[in-house]
Amino acid sequence: MNDFITPRNHKAFKALVLSSHIDDEVKDCAIAYIDPRGGGPDPDHTHPHDHLFTVIAGEIEIRMDGESFAVTEGMSLRVPGETRHSVWNTGLTTAKVMGISLRKE
């Protein structure tokens, strides 16, 4: 049975991996609940795969290489893995975010 985890260097952030090793393009898919002022990681990080974040409820800020991008309910943003990044809840309610990790070609 899958359990929610708080990834390393994150705060007020619970994630549940829904599926992993899906195919050659999609590494995994997870749902995250991020409380107000929560997020991570801190400090920003990089990795070999991209993320596609979709906000299901609430609002988040995605920080990439010193820039901030507001992503609100119903919006998606692809984050290149090689770009230093993190995700933060800037709203007043818990954000619900779907994250899909995409393998590089």
Side-chain angles (χ1 to χ4, degrees), residues 27-83:
K27 180 177 184 248
D28 61 41
C29 177
I31 189 84
Y33 293 88
I34 310 168
D35 292 334
R37 295 179 304 281
D42 187 17
D44 294 357
H45 72 296
T46 63
H47 41 66
H49 58 273
D50 290 354
H51 288 301
L52 177 63
F53 293 114
T54 299
V55 177
I56 298 166
E59 56 189 88
I60 60 172
E61 176 182 271
I62 298 178
R63 299 176 189 166
M64 289 191 289
D65 278 345
E67 292 188 68
S68 296
F69 300 87
V71 186
T72 59
E73 190 170 318
M75 294 176 66
S76 298
L77 183 67
R78 185 173 184 153
V79 177
E82 69 275 359
T83 301

Side-chain angles (χ1 to χ4, degrees), residues 6-7 9-14 32-42 59-63 86-97:
T6 299
N9 297 326
H10 288 64
K11 67 177 189 175
F13 187 114
K14 297 183 300 186
Y33 293 88
I34 310 168
D35 292 334
R37 295 179 304 281
D42 187 17
E59 56 189 88
I60 60 172
E61 176 182 271
I62 298 178
R63 299 176 189 166
S86 61
V87 178
W88 298 91
N89 182 341
T90 54
L92 301 175
T93 62
T94 298
K96 185 177 181 181
V97 181

